[in-house]
Amino acid sequence: MTSMTAGRSDAALAAGFDTLARLLALTLGPARRVVLNDTGGGTAEGLADAATVARRVTALPEREATAGAALLREAVRTVVGRHGDGGATTAVLTAAIVRHARRMVAAGASPVLVRDGIRAAVRCAADALKGQASPVAGPDDLSGLVSAAGGDRALAASVGELVDVLGPEGAVVVEESVRPGVTHDYVDGSRWPARPAAPELLSGGGMFGGSHTELTLVDPAVVVADVVLDDPAQVIPILEAVRALPDRPPLLLVAQDVTGGAATTCLLNDRRGLVVTAPVVLTTAGVRRGEDLADLALLTGATVLSPEYGRPPERFVPAYVGRVRRAVVRSGHLSVAGGGGDRRAVTDLAARLRTRAWELGDGAEATTRTAERMWLRQARLLGRVGAVQVGANTEAEREDRLRTARRAVRLARTALRDGVVAGGGVAYLDCVDAVRAARAECADPDRAAGMEAVAAGLEAPFLRLVANAGRREPRVALAAVRALGPGHGVDVRTDRYLPIREAGVLDVAGVAVAALEAAGATAGVLVSASVVTGRG
């Protein structure tokens, strides 16, 4: 490859990166701009989320430009996939570091040594960020960081209150509401998605007949079957065993499905007053249903029935029965409270699930969904689940708000683990002195140049937030907060200079560190790209 060809390739790579970086920068902060994406046919969609914008930009006119955009897109995808936020911050930091580093390379600095300086400065700044982190003080802190990330104060208030009450082991389920606005509630006990079994058989006057929309069972016996029950021979031993119990409790029968002759037998027993029976089907999909049935059995002290375990329903014995204080069966879910299972076994499983969820949550995006599933399971076992219901006037607004809500829940939970730092770009500003002190001790001028690129880049999130708000000249605002001292910033919602933490403007420490580290790694690749492309 000739030097002229390599130069054109390097320039196209940088141009592709810059194109996507400019778009993503517009989405930073509560005063973020909307990026219009042409969907064809004379229509366009408005995008205000960095991760969504990055996914949409998949190709540019030149192949090398597409590769440059892909480098940034991968960095954004990684940070958002692992932490739920930080995509726009990653783009802004990366672009600023690369811009300053390019100038130094153009002036004759070694790209490789500049890259090494970038890495050293990022480590220094990351350590400074971690040193700034403090524990979440309460619902106001949680609401502040959620509001700063998404700009939705009603949603921020609901998520902040839920996460604060539920604690670091809690889970918040995001649900779609048909009515505009945001509401929230706490689940009493543990809840699984479920439906009454064979409703066509039950509608003729059984427990779910008429206008009844739910059934409450007090102190029921619980039987859990990881099998389809369709034969009377499968349920008769269960009904006889429950009927023989001293207090003749109602029966909560939870299975893969209850249909055919088995459902008819349950219905006849219920109508004759022999055993009040609520056959229920968990609607969890695939292998997850088996996990949920096992969790329910552990929580209630039941033993899962399955031929695979050597416990077919036909050979049911009373020792397989579990108990709960109360069960509520509705068309959409099953709730239980006061399970009679071994409490130590329940808490031990919850602890294992929680540990594994944190491990997977710090991995690739593909494992994040598994981590979320494990987190919900452990919270459900502990009875620490809440729900936030999100609605809007249009489908597009509702989808956007649902995405924001899910991101907010992850942010709030991560904040409980990692702590918070000052938002509004102030935490990065307060790392600049540490980086420049380290640069002053660096003997190699080219490495020092890379460190200075990071020091300058740390100002970029603050400058972009102010620019997106459109009320002040960013550099003037930067000079003003520098004069006020560490911890000061601009609350772009009120356009005031103040100690930014006092305004409740916070960022999750873990997300701030991850964005910086991803920016440093991507900037290093781009800065040294001329070395790579120059090798034929």
Side-chain angles (χ1 to χ4, degrees), residues 229-239 259-266 313-314:
L229 303 176
D230 56 7
D231 191 316
Q234 294 174 297
V235 296
I236 287 174
I238 297 172
L239 295 169
T259 187
T264 302
T265 301
C266 289
E314 294 85 349

Side-chain angles (χ1 to χ4, degrees), residues 295-474:
D295 289 349
L296 175 62
L298 180 65
L299 193 63
T300 61
T303 300
V304 178
L305 306 180
S306 172
E308 294 181 4
Y309 303 147
R311 297 186 292 269
E314 294 85 349
R315 295 208 298 267
F316 185 82
V317 296
Y320 295 161
V321 173
R323 298 299 291 262
V324 293
R325 177 170 46 83
R326 185 182 69 257
V328 179
V329 185
R330 294 181 179 173
S331 59
H333 61 256
L334 162 69
S335 299
V336 300
D342 183 334
R343 193 60 188 169
R344 172 168 289 186
V346 170
T347 56
D348 285 349
L349 175 58
R352 292 196 300 273
L353 289 169
R354 191 163 54 251
T355 299
R356 186 58 178 152
W358 279 127
E359 293 172 350
L360 292 175
D362 289 334
E365 184 178 9
T367 64
T368 302
R369 291 185 293 273
T370 301
E372 290 296 310
R373 162 72 179 168
M374 289 184 172
W375 192 267
L376 176 60
R377 285 180 61 196
Q378 67 84 30
R380 192 159 49 196
L381 286 168
L382 299 176
R384 297 182 182 176
V385 178
V388 57
Q389 297 84 24
V390 177
N393 292 316
T394 68
E395 183 176 352
E397 290 175 0
R398 184 165 53 251
E399 288 300 318
D400 181 64
R401 213 172 195 189
L402 285 168
R403 284 193 296 269
T404 301
R406 295 185 184 103
R407 185 170 69 248
V409 168
R410 290 185 62 189
L411 280 176
R413 192 174 71 223
T414 305
L416 289 179
R417 180 188 70 167
D418 296 343
V420 292
V421 295
V426 173
Y428 291 121
L429 292 181
D430 290 347
C431 294
V432 172
D433 288 346
V435 172
R436 285 191 169 138
R439 181 207 62 184
E441 297 177 0
C442 180
D444 187 284
D446 290 354
R447 286 192 176 90
M451 299 183 77
E452 178 57 30
V454 172
L458 289 169
E459 298 175 346
F462 173 87
L463 295 171
R464 173 47 61 180
L465 284 163
V466 175
N468 283 351
R471 296 179 181 179
R472 295 179 182 269
E473 205 289 320

Side-chain angles (χ1 to χ4, degrees), residues 116-172:
D116 291 346
I118 290 172
R119 291 174 176 171
V122 166
R123 288 194 296 269
C124 177
D127 289 342
L129 277 173
K130 294 172 185 176
Q132 295 177 29
S134 61
V136 171
D140 289 344
D141 274 6
L142 292 168
S143 297
L145 70 91
V146 172
S147 181
D152 191 328
R153 293 198 174 192
L155 178 62
S158 289
V159 171
E161 180 182 327
L162 280 170
V163 174
D164 180 62
V165 171
L166 295 171
E169 298 168 353
V172 177

